[in-house]
Amino acid sequence: MTLVVSEELRAALADRRPVVALETTIVSHGMPWPQNIETALAVEGIVRAGGAVPASIAVLDGKVRVGLTADDLERLAKAGNVAKLSRADLAWAVVSGTPGATTVAATMIVAERAGIRVFATGGIGGVHRGAEQSFDISADLTELARTGVTVVAAGAKALLDLPKTLEMLETLGVPVVAYGSDQFPAFWSRESGLKAPIRFDNAAAIAAFIRARADLALGGGLLVANPVPAADEIPAGEMETHIAAAHADSIAAGVTGKAVTPFLLDAILRRTGGRSLVTNIALIRNNARVAAEIAIALAT
Ligand code: PSU
Ligand code: MN
């Protein structure tokens, strides 16, 4: 079998216990060592403390693996040759034997195949700034339109074009739910100045919404946009300076394709003197907590 689910997760899924999927691109390409491995392990711990079973996902040794050991995660955090996988190249990593970290899109696909309905990450990919020239639009958006998994994220990374990202999600029929807020959050900042299409204030309401969508056979997933805790946010005005500078760096360096998002995250980390990483870690932890609550509400 190409898809290998850990023994713990097979038992949990058979018993219909709550499970939360976790991506690994953030481990291999989104954060530096050692914060990447520390965060990956901490997030698994938060899901467990919240009463759900964590399911980190990656391609290792020609297998799509659901449920990783600490050693697997360390390998993904340390190795330099890990591919960044989306729908287009998931099967390529399997047949070539290349180790691969899964993006939001690839993690959603694997989670759905394994029967996992809730997934926590930092921020989804979206429409890049300058997309009218570059056509750079993350495959995460089309995946949300077709794959039935609820993704809990702090919105889309603010280095993107957030108004265009929301327009695209609307076009694709993807519900965008702000959690406990009227606004679509801006990743490092609680507010983007953009109104979220839907607001819910607790996990039970989100579970009821997911069930109503299933009853109507609407298909596809949804985005739960969970603002970073106030104590950890970097105000949007301050972030904008760093984002604009990082964006200019990426154009000057001629970065394109899959390399764009990791390049920008790293440039922003350097320009904020590491503060963006501290906020990134805080928001992922917060998303893991909320995802566990939703998984529990769906399981009961
Ligand atoms: N959010 C983060 N760090 C990341 C990513 C998201 O805080 O590394 C990753 C996710 O895996 C997401 C991917 O799916 O970036 C989007 O990449 P692209 O823009 O190339 O589609
Ligand atoms: Mn892209």
Side-chain angles (χ1 to χ4, degrees), residues 23-31 84-86 101-107 119 121-126 128 136-141 155 157 159-160 187-188 257-262 265 280 283-284:
E23 65 150 303
T24 45
T25 291
I26 200 158
V27 181
S28 297
H29 304 281
M31 283 186 190
K84 177 182 161 190
L85 303 175
S86 193
T102 50
T103 59
V104 168
T107 307
F119 162 23
T121 184
I124 63 162
H128 277 269
D136 190 352
I137 300 175
S138 177
D140 292 353
L141 300 184
K157 276 159 291 185
L159 52 90
L160 300 164
F187 199 68
W188 298 282
K258 282 177 189 279
V260 172
T261 296
L265 286 171
N280 199 340
L283 65 86
I284 293 167

Coordinates of all heavy atoms in Angstrom, one line a residue, residues 23-31 84-86 101-107 119 121-126 128 136-141 155 157 159-160 187-188 257-262 265 280 283-284, ligand 1:
E23 N 0.4 19.4 8.9 CA 1.2 19.4 7.7 C 2.7 19.4 8.0 O 3.1 19.7 9.2 CB 0.9 20.6 6.8 CG 1.3 22.0 7.5 CD 1.7 23.1 6.5 OE1 2.6 22.8 5.7 OE2 1.0 24.1 6.5
T24 N 3.6 19.2 7.1 CA 5.0 19.1 7.4 C 5.9 20.1 6.5 O 7.1 20.3 6.8 CB 5.6 17.7 7.2 OG1 5.1 17.2 6.0 CG2 5.2 16.8 8.3
T25 N 5.2 20.8 5.6 CA 6.0 21.8 4.8 C 6.5 22.9 5.8 O 7.6 23.4 5.6 CB 5.1 22.5 3.7 OG1 4.9 21.5 2.7 CG2 5.8 23.6 3.0
I26 N 5.7 23.2 6.7 CA 6.1 24.2 7.7 C 7.3 23.7 8.5 O 8.1 24.6 8.9 CB 4.8 24.4 8.6 CG1 5.0 25.7 9.4 CG2 4.6 23.3 9.6 CD1 3.6 26.3 9.8
V27 N 7.5 22.4 8.6 CA 8.6 21.9 9.3 C 9.9 21.9 8.4 O 10.9 22.4 8.9 CB 8.4 20.4 9.8 CG1 9.5 19.8 10.5 CG2 7.1 20.3 10.6
S28 N 9.7 21.5 7.2 CA 10.9 21.4 6.3 C 11.2 22.7 5.6 O 12.4 23.0 5.3 CB 10.6 20.4 5.2 OG 10.5 19.1 5.8
H29 N 10.2 23.6 5.3 CA 10.4 24.8 4.5 C 9.9 26.1 5.2 O 10.2 27.1 4.6 CB 9.8 24.6 3.2 CG 10.2 23.4 2.4 ND1 11.4 23.4 1.7 CD2 9.6 22.2 2.3 CE1 11.5 22.2 1.2 NE2 10.5 21.4 1.5
G30 N 9.2 26.0 6.3 CA 8.6 27.2 6.8 C 9.3 27.8 8.0 O 9.0 28.9 8.3
M31 N 10.1 27.0 8.7 CA 10.8 27.5 9.9 C 12.2 27.0 9.9 O 12.5 25.9 9.5 CB 10.1 26.9 11.1 CG 8.8 27.6 11.5 SD 8.1 27.0 13.0 CE 6.5 27.7 13.0
K84 N 8.8 19.9 -1.5 CA 7.6 20.6 -1.0 C 6.4 20.1 -1.9 O 6.4 20.5 -3.1 CB 7.8 22.1 -1.1 CG 6.6 22.9 -0.7 CD 6.9 24.4 -0.9 CE 5.7 25.2 -0.9 NZ 5.9 26.6 -1.3
L85 N 5.6 19.3 -1.4 CA 4.6 18.6 -2.2 C 3.2 19.2 -2.2 O 2.7 19.5 -1.2 CB 4.5 17.1 -1.8 CG 5.8 16.3 -1.7 CD1 5.6 14.9 -1.1 CD2 6.4 16.2 -3.1
S86 N 2.6 19.2 -3.4 CA 1.2 19.6 -3.5 C 0.5 18.5 -4.3 O 1.1 17.4 -4.5 CB 1.2 21.0 -4.2 OG -0.1 21.5 -4.1
A101 N 7.7 16.9 2.1 CA 6.8 17.5 3.1 C 5.5 17.9 2.4 O 5.6 18.3 1.2 CB 7.5 18.7 3.7
T102 N 4.4 17.8 3.1 CA 3.1 18.1 2.4 C 2.7 19.5 2.8 O 2.8 20.0 3.9 CB 2.1 17.1 2.9 OG1 2.0 17.0 4.3 CG2 2.3 15.7 2.3
T103 N 2.3 20.3 1.7 CA 1.7 21.6 1.9 C 0.3 21.4 2.4 O -0.2 20.3 2.6 CB 1.6 22.3 0.6 OG1 0.9 21.5 -0.3 CG2 3.0 22.6 0.0
V104 N -0.4 22.5 2.6 CA -1.9 22.4 2.9 C -2.6 21.6 1.9 O -3.4 20.7 2.3 CB -2.5 23.9 3.0 CG1 -4.0 23.8 3.1 CG2 -1.9 24.6 4.2
A105 N -2.4 21.8 0.6 CA -3.1 21.1 -0.4 C -2.9 19.6 -0.3 O -3.8 18.8 -0.2 CB -2.7 21.6 -1.8
A106 N -1.6 19.2 -0.2 CA -1.3 17.7 -0.2 C -1.7 17.1 1.1 O -2.2 16.0 1.2 CB 0.2 17.5 -0.4
T107 N -1.6 17.9 2.2 CA -2.1 17.3 3.5 C -3.6 17.1 3.5 O -4.1 16.1 4.0 CB -1.7 18.3 4.7 OG1 -0.3 18.6 4.6 CG2 -2.0 17.7 6.0
F119 N -7.9 19.7 10.2 CA -6.5 19.9 9.9 C -6.1 21.2 10.5 O -6.7 22.2 10.2 CB -6.3 19.7 8.4 CG -5.1 20.2 7.8 CD1 -3.9 20.4 8.5 CD2 -5.1 20.5 6.4 CE1 -2.7 20.9 7.8 CE2 -3.9 21.0 5.8 CZ -2.8 21.2 6.5
T121 N -3.0 24.2 10.7 CA -1.8 24.7 10.2 C -1.5 26.1 10.6 O -2.3 26.6 11.4 CB -1.7 24.6 8.6 OG1 -0.5 25.0 8.1 CG2 -2.8 25.4 8.0
G122 N -0.5 26.8 10.0 CA -0.3 28.2 10.3 C -1.1 29.1 9.5 O -2.1 29.7 10.0
G123 N -0.8 29.1 8.2 CA -1.6 29.9 7.3 C -1.7 29.2 5.9 O -0.7 28.5 5.6
I124 N -2.8 29.3 5.2 CA -2.8 28.7 3.9 C -2.1 29.5 2.9 O -1.8 30.7 3.1 CB -4.3 28.5 3.5 CG1 -5.0 29.9 3.3 CG2 -5.1 27.6 4.4 CD1 -6.3 29.8 2.5
G125 N -1.8 28.9 1.7 CA -1.3 29.7 0.6 C -2.5 30.4 0.0 O -3.6 30.1 0.3
G126 N -2.2 31.4 -0.9 CA -3.3 32.1 -1.6 C -2.8 32.8 -2.8 O -1.8 32.3 -3.5
H128 N -0.8 35.4 -4.6 CA 0.4 36.3 -4.3 C 0.3 37.7 -4.8 O -0.5 38.0 -5.7 CB 1.7 35.6 -4.9 CG 2.3 34.6 -4.1 ND1 3.2 34.8 -3.1 CD2 2.0 33.2 -4.0 CE1 3.5 33.6 -2.5 NE2 2.7 32.7 -3.0
D136 N 0.9 33.6 -9.9 CA 1.2 32.8 -8.8 C 0.0 32.7 -7.8 O -0.2 33.6 -7.0 CB 2.5 33.3 -8.1 CG 3.0 32.3 -7.1 OD1 2.3 31.3 -6.8 OD2 4.1 32.5 -6.6
I137 N -0.7 31.6 -7.9 CA -1.9 31.4 -7.0 C -1.7 30.0 -6.4 O -1.5 29.0 -7.2 CB -3.2 31.5 -7.7 CG1 -3.4 32.9 -8.4 CG2 -4.4 31.2 -6.8 CD1 -4.6 33.1 -9.2
S138 N -1.7 29.9 -5.1 CA -1.4 28.6 -4.4 C -2.5 27.6 -4.8 O -3.7 27.8 -4.8 CB -1.4 28.8 -2.9 OG -1.2 27.5 -2.3
A139 N -2.0 26.3 -5.0 CA -2.9 25.2 -5.2 C -3.7 24.9 -4.0 O -4.6 24.1 -4.0 CB -2.1 24.0 -5.6
D140 N -3.3 25.5 -2.8 CA -4.1 25.3 -1.6 C -5.6 25.8 -1.8 O -6.5 25.2 -1.3 CB -3.6 26.2 -0.4 CG -2.2 25.7 0.1 OD1 -1.8 24.6 -0.4 OD2 -1.6 26.4 0.9
L141 N -5.8 26.8 -2.7 CA -7.1 27.4 -2.8 C -8.0 26.4 -3.6 O -9.2 26.1 -3.2 CB -7.1 28.7 -3.5 CG -6.3 29.8 -2.8 CD1 -6.4 31.2 -3.5 CD2 -6.8 30.0 -1.4
G155 N -5.8 32.5 8.9 CA -6.1 33.2 7.7 C -5.0 32.8 6.6 O -4.5 31.7 6.7
K157 N -1.4 33.8 4.7 CA -0.2 34.6 5.1 C -0.3 36.0 4.6 O -0.6 36.2 3.4 CB 1.1 33.9 4.6 CG 1.6 32.8 5.5 CD 2.4 31.9 4.8 CE 1.6 31.1 3.8 NZ 2.3 30.0 3.1
L159 N 1.7 38.0 3.7 CA 2.6 38.4 2.6 C 1.9 38.2 1.2 O 2.4 38.6 0.2 CB 3.9 37.5 2.6 CG 3.7 36.0 2.7 CD1 3.7 35.4 1.3 CD2 4.9 35.5 3.5
L160 N 0.7 37.6 1.2 CA -0.1 37.5 0.0 C -1.0 38.7 -0.2 O -1.0 39.6 0.5 CB -1.0 36.2 0.2 CG -0.3 34.9 0.4 CD1 -1.2 33.9 1.0 CD2 0.4 34.5 -0.8
F187 N -2.7 36.6 9.6 CA -1.6 35.8 10.0 C -0.9 36.3 11.2 O -1.3 36.0 12.3 CB -0.7 35.5 8.8 CG 0.2 34.4 9.0 CD1 -0.3 33.1 9.0 CD2 1.6 34.5 9.1 CE1 0.6 32.0 9.1 CE2 2.5 33.4 9.3 CZ 2.0 32.2 9.3
W188 N 0.1 37.2 11.1 CA 0.8 37.7 12.2 C 0.0 38.8 13.0 O 0.4 39.1 14.1 CB 2.1 38.4 11.7 CG 3.1 37.5 11.1 CD1 3.9 36.6 11.7 CD2 3.4 37.3 9.7 NE1 4.7 35.9 10.8 CE2 4.4 36.4 9.5 CE3 2.9 37.9 8.5 CZ2 4.9 36.0 8.3 CZ3 3.4 37.6 7.3 CH2 4.4 36.6 7.2
G257 N 7.9 30.4 -8.4 CA 7.4 29.0 -8.1 C 7.3 28.7 -6.6 O 7.1 29.5 -5.8
K258 N 7.6 27.4 -6.3 CA 7.5 26.9 -5.0 C 8.5 27.6 -4.0 O 8.3 27.6 -2.8 CB 7.9 25.4 -4.9 CG 6.9 24.5 -5.4 CD 7.5 23.1 -5.4 CE 6.6 22.1 -6.1 NZ 5.5 21.6 -5.2
A259 N 9.5 28.2 -4.5 CA 10.5 28.9 -3.7 C 10.0 30.2 -3.1 O 10.6 30.7 -2.1 CB 11.8 29.1 -4.4
V260 N 8.9 30.8 -3.7 CA 8.5 32.1 -3.3 C 8.1 32.2 -1.8 O 8.6 33.0 -1.0 CB 7.4 32.6 -4.2 CG1 6.8 33.9 -3.6 CG2 7.8 32.8 -5.6
T261 N 7.2 31.3 -1.4 CA 6.7 31.4 0.0 C 7.8 31.2 1.0 O 8.0 32.0 2.0 CB 5.5 30.4 0.2 OG1 4.5 30.9 -0.6 CG2 5.1 30.4 1.7
P262 N 8.7 30.1 0.9 CA 9.8 30.0 1.9 C 10.7 31.2 1.9 O 11.2 31.6 2.9 CB 10.5 28.7 1.4 CG 9.4 27.9 0.7 CD 8.6 28.9 0.0
L265 N 9.0 34.1 3.8 CA 9.0 33.8 5.2 C 10.3 34.0 5.9 O 10.4 34.6 6.9 CB 8.5 32.4 5.5 CG 7.0 32.1 5.2 CD1 6.7 30.6 5.3 CD2 6.2 32.8 6.3
N280 N 4.5 33.3 14.6 CA 4.1 32.2 13.8 C 3.9 30.9 14.7 O 3.0 30.2 14.5 CB 5.2 31.9 12.7 CG 4.8 31.1 11.6 OD1 3.8 30.3 11.6 ND2 5.5 31.1 10.5
L283 N 0.7 31.3 16.8 CA -0.6 31.1 16.1 C -0.8 29.7 15.7 O -1.9 29.2 15.7 CB -0.7 32.1 14.9 CG 0.3 31.9 13.7 CD1 -0.2 30.9 12.7 CD2 0.5 33.3 13.0
I284 N 0.3 28.9 15.4 CA 0.1 27.5 15.1 C -0.4 26.8 16.3 O -1.3 25.9 16.2 CB 1.4 26.9 14.6 CG1 1.7 27.5 13.2 CG2 1.3 25.4 14.4 CD1 3.1 27.2 12.8
Ligands
PSU1 N1 2.2 28.7 6.6 C1 3.3 28.9 7.3 N2 4.5 28.4 6.9 C2 4.5 27.6 5.7 C3 3.3 27.4 5.0 C4 2.2 28.0 5.5 O1 3.3 29.6 8.3 O2 5.6 27.1 5.4 C5 3.3 26.5 3.8 C6 2.1 25.7 3.7 O3 2.5 24.3 3.6 C7 1.3 26.1 2.5 C8 2.4 26.5 1.6 O4 0.5 25.1 2.0 O5 3.3 27.2 2.5 C9 2.0 27.4 0.5 O6 3.0 27.4 -0.5 P1 2.7 28.0 -2.0 O7 2.4 29.5 -1.7 O8 3.9 27.7 -2.7 O9 1.5 27.3 -2.5

